[in-house]
Amino acid sequence: GGAMAAAGPEGPRPAALTLLGPAPGAPCCPHGPALLFVKTSHGKEEGRRFYACSACRDRKDCNFFQWEDEKVSETRLAAREEYNRNHQPSFTHRQNVDRYKNFVLLPLSKRRFCQECQQLLLPAEWEKHSDHQFLCDITTAQLKSPSQLLYPLENKKTNAQYLFADRSCQFLLNLLIDLGFRRVLCVGTPRLHEMIQSKASREEEFSIRSLLLDIDFRYSQFYTEDEFCHYNMFNHHFFGGEAARETCRKFLYEENGERVIMVTDPPFGGLVEALACSFKKLMAMWKQTEKEVGDDNKEVPMFWIFPYFFESRILDFFPSFSMMDYQVDYDNHALYKHGKTGRRQSPVRIFTNLTPSMIALPEEEGYRFCTVCQRYVSSGNQHCEICNSCTSKDGRRWKHCVLCRKCVKPSWFHCNNCNCCTLQKHSCEKTEVGCFVCGKAGHKRSACPSLSHT
Ligand code: SAH
Ligand code: ZN
Ligand code: ZN
Ligand code: ZN
Ligand code: ZN
């Protein structure tokens, strides 16, 4: 998960930036192939198409930019290649695995972790880091919970890392166990991966395996090449090349009927189409490994963890998905966690292509099973007799609007001008293009009613 970040250039009137997708032959930045964008206004392309970094929405993190029709000289291409090489991590994954092997052989008193470089230090390197802050006596337990040892990357735009609260992570893992999955492809879910790995090393009868795909290369210090791949989920780029791709493909191959599920919790930056495109490619990798051909509609089971107001966008790309009422909580997100004083409502949900009735939500947290809808819903979610479904998206009780012919948020009113329900405070100016966040017409992203969840 991550913060809501603007996709457009900053300014008083953000123009919509439309992603034209990963283009064949796209130029590369240090984060792999760039994505093709165009500025749009009133649904029409405006201006030249351009390539920009897929992973970083903040120009400060990666300033790659190239017009689609730009001629790039040989010298500049060579300089770019050199730049991309120089901007890769200083150690390879292999080197980090070897370093780890040496590190665990050290007595506790010699195990240091540099907080500034976010790196395990071998004694020969202490000197170089002598004026950096470091932690000493790194225990095996600490090595098994790297997400606690590493500080969460908090750059709001590029790599906001929001770690699952223990309760939510435990819930997810128990659910995966109950559903009988034996392999979990963790795409941007380091904490879930860590929980699986440490349980597997503690309990012999626990047989779930997991592979982490993440852009955060710091994790390569703690996991082997079979446990972690440096991966960019916005352009399906494996930094480790064909070998890493093969690791992932092998992992997805369901030997002896060991069922695999993909669990992802991407940054909420808004490039839903780029994410969907990558997830489809991961699904296709799984399909390739299927022995029996025939059922083309078979999808790898998946949990996509994302805010509820992206529901329509996700369903555009994955019509077989449905949204569960479970509220996913985070440790380091002020808004999305349980406070000591009453419950803060997290907007983050699980989207899945599994049958909703199979996803049992904890009754001790107030979730109940609706026999009509055949799914678990939150306690405040009342079954609407007119809609014939449990309509609340945010956990509060929604009200039915006869004019809109649907249930709406309790705080909304029907505006005769706009001919729909919305916040009482709104301007009735219509915009033709859909909102960047919820996709609905009638307002801009900055005024999206979905964002008024707190
Ligand atoms: N709740 C999860 C963490 C989600 S935060 C957990 O506790 O396990 C989002 C994760 O996606 C982070 O681990 C971050 O490093 C990763 N990420 C961010 N951008 C990415 C990208 N472009 N490709 C792959 N992973 C990315
Ligand atoms: Zn980049
Ligand atoms: Zn219902
Ligand atoms: Zn209703
Ligand atoms: Zn209005």
Side-chain angles (χ1 to χ4, degrees):
M4 289 302 309
E10 254 76 276
R13 279 183 338 126
L17 269 190
T18 302
L19 174 70
L20 296 168
C28 286
C29 71
H31 307 93
L35 298 178
L36 190 57
F37 292 91
V38 71
K39 224 170 159 183
T40 49
S41 171
H42 301 282
K44 276 203 255 14
E45 288 193 19
E46 223 172 49
R48 281 160 91 184
R49 296 171 165 199
F50 62 90
Y51 292 103
C53 176
S54 59
C56 310
R57 249 128 330 110
D58 194 334
R59 285 287 195 98
K60 280 193 234 95
D61 297 314
C62 180
N63 62 4
F64 184 87
F65 181 91
Q66 185 190 309
W67 296 112
E68 186 189 27
D69 54 10
E70 191 176 337
K71 287 269 176 296
V72 184
S73 69
E74 289 294 325
T75 5
R76 240 184 89 203
L77 275 180
R80 185 185 281 168
E81 260 171 44
E82 160 122 29
Y83 177 90
N84 290 351
R85 261 197 309 277
N86 292 340
H87 281 75
Q88 296 307 320
S90 46
F91 292 113
T92 64
H93 193 171
R94 189 86 284 255
Q95 284 170 324
N96 274 339
V97 171
D98 288 337
R99 292 166 55 79
Y100 183 90
K101 280 187 196 147
N102 292 327
F103 190 89
V104 293
L105 294 176
L106 296 169
L108 213 54
S109 62
K110 289 196 171 163
R111 291 191 190 174
R112 289 189 184 175
F113 175 76
C114 178
Q115 288 182 298
E116 257 171 83
C117 305
Q118 292 284 294
Q119 190 190 316
L120 299 171
L121 298 181
L122 297 171
E125 297 159 342
W126 289 2
E127 181 71 45
K128 249 196 305 185
H129 299 258
S130 59
D131 49 1
H132 293 174
Q133 297 250 28
F134 60 85
L135 297 173
C136 329
D137 301 341
I138 303 298
T139 62
T140 308
Q142 281 174 298
L143 293 173
K144 287 199 187 306
S145 345
S147 77
Q148 316 259 2
L149 190 62
L150 303 167
Y151 63 73
L153 302 174
E154 295 223 23
N155 179 326
K156 291 277 178 292
K157 279 189 170 173
T158 295
N159 201 337
Q161 272 179 329
Y162 294 112
L163 299 167
F164 294 133
D166 200 52
R167 212 170 45 95
S168 283
C169 203
Q170 199 69 62
F171 161 75
L172 280 170
L173 179 53
N174 289 339
L175 186 58
L176 300 176
I177 295 171
D178 291 344
L179 291 169
F181 289 104
R182 299 286 292 279
R183 296 197 201 175
V184 185
L185 184 68
C186 292
V187 185
T189 55
R191 196 156 261 184
L192 178 64
H193 178 63
E194 169 178 317
M195 194 176 259
I196 295 172
Q197 296 282 319
S198 64
K199 200 173 163 74
S201 71
R202 278 194 324 265
E203 302 170 18
E204 217 171 299
E205 67 282 15
F206 180 81
S207 56
I208 298 186
R209 293 202 291 124
S210 65
L211 171 66
L212 175 64
L213 308 186
D214 203 289
I215 203 164
D216 186 351
F217 193 66
R218 296 177 305 171
Y219 283 101
S220 70
Q221 299 179 87
F222 306 91
Y223 299 121
T224 64
E225 290 103 325
D226 285 334
E227 297 163 338
F228 171 76
C229 295
H230 191 201
Y231 174 77
N232 182 349
M233 63 168 112
F234 288 112
N235 58 4
H236 188 60
H237 178 65
F238 285 85
F239 293 84
E242 197 44 47
R245 198 178 276 272
E246 191 52 34
T247 299
C248 182
R249 195 176 293 128
K250 274 215 191 99
F251 185 83
L252 290 171
Y253 179 72
E254 297 181 324
E255 265 169 327
N256 325 316
E258 288 190 355
R259 291 170 60 230
V260 52
I261 184 168
M262 197 171 130
V263 182
T264 185
D265 185 11
F268 312 153
L271 292 176
V272 178
E273 46 278 86
L275 292 169
C277 182
S278 297
F279 299 155
K280 286 192 183 202
K281 285 177 182 161
L282 286 169
M283 284 183 167
M285 265 172 124
W286 171 81
K287 243 191 213 159
Q288 274 174 23
T289 69
E290 283 276 283
K291 265 172 274 162
E292 69 262 53
V293 270
D295 193 355
D296 272 351
N297 293 322
K298 245 175 101 188
E299 282 177 352
V300 60
M302 180 170 167
F303 287 165
W304 179 344
I305 297 164
F306 227 50
Y308 69 82
F309 38 83
F310 279 100
E311 183 183 25
S312 64
R313 305 292 315 284
I314 291 184
L315 295 185
D316 282 346
F317 296 100
F318 292 104
S320 65
F321 279 37
S322 41
M323 186 174 87
M324 303 295 100
D325 267 19
Y326 185 77
Q327 301 193 358
V328 180
D329 284 313
Y330 295 86
D331 258 358
N332 57 337
H333 200 298
L335 286 178
Y336 305 170
K337 70 178 177 194
H338 281 266
K340 278 222 168 65
T341 52
R343 186 170 184 154
R344 289 263 203 184
Q345 305 270 11
S346 162
V348 184
R349 302 289 184 270
I350 301 168
F351 294 84
T352 185
N353 49 2
L354 295 174
T355 310
S357 61
M358 297 185 350
I359 314 294
L361 305 184
E363 279 168 30
E364 61 280 13
E365 284 177 46
Y367 300 98
R368 66 184 165 80
F369 189 73
C370 173
T371 46
V372 185
C373 297
Q374 282 294 300
R375 66 177 182 106
Y376 283 81
V377 295
S378 52
S379 54
N381 196 355
Q382 295 269 337
H383 190 86
C384 170
E385 298 301 336
I386 308 166
C387 296
N388 195 30
S389 87
C390 290
T391 45
S392 171
K393 303 287 182 195
D394 61 11
R396 295 178 298 171
R397 184 177 181 168
W398 283 25
K399 58 182 188 191
H400 192 87
C401 172
V402 280
L403 293 169
C404 292
R405 294 194 189 153
K406 63 176 186 188
C407 284
V408 297
K409 288 188 175 186
S411 54
W412 286 13
F413 294 87
H414 193 85
C415 169
N416 288 321
N417 234 346
C418 297
N419 201 21
C420 70
C421 281
T422 183
L423 287 172
Q424 198 155 39
K425 256 204 321 216
H426 71 279
S427 67
C428 293
E429 284 166 47
K430 289 221 171 194
T431 48
E432 284 166 47
V433 281
C435 162
F436 172 72
V437 175
C438 69
K440 296 193 185 93
H443 58 266
K444 288 254 173 84
R445 178 179 57 81
S446 53
C448 180
S450 299
L451 297 178
S452 61
H453 51 78
T454 44

